[in-house]
Amino acid sequence: MADLGFTWETRKTGEVLVFHRGKRATTLRGGRATDFLDLAETGDTNAIQQELARLTGNYKRGNERLAKGHPRNA
């Protein structure tokens, strides 16, 4: 799977800043941040990229091809 363009950095406060193609997409705090950091420790790049896409809401929903051919969108 290709890199989705997400990077992150952690702060001393425990917050995780998430960047998409160099621009800040979101900030994770509390439980969401610790859950993400637990996943990041596994080192599975594909899983990390997918989780960041889910957390930011920046992912495909699977119906793009069908919606493209719908008469309303022609």
Side-chain angles (χ1 to χ4, degrees):
M1 180 178 226
D3 182 27
L4 299 177
F6 289 100
T7 57
W8 74 91
E9 68 180 50
T10 45
R11 292 195 157 178
K12 292 178 186 178
T13 60
E15 295 177 338
V16 177
L17 300 177
V18 179
F19 299 92
H20 185 248
R21 293 188 165 66
K23 294 184 179 181
R24 186 164 39 154
T26 192
T27 303
L28 304 176
R29 295 179 181 95
R32 291 176 67 183
T34 55
D35 290 344
F36 171 73
L37 291 173
D38 289 343
L39 174 68
E41 287 178 7
T42 65
D44 183 11
T45 306
N46 292 333
I48 293 169
Q49 290 290 310
Q50 287 296 315
E51 183 64 20
L52 288 172
R54 284 186 202 98
L55 290 169
T56 61
N58 187 2
Y59 61 98
K60 295 187 181 230
R61 284 129 184 107
N63 63 350
E64 287 81 8
R65 187 171 296 186
L66 296 173
K68 184 177 175 182
H70 192 275
R72 172 184 65 225
N73 299 326

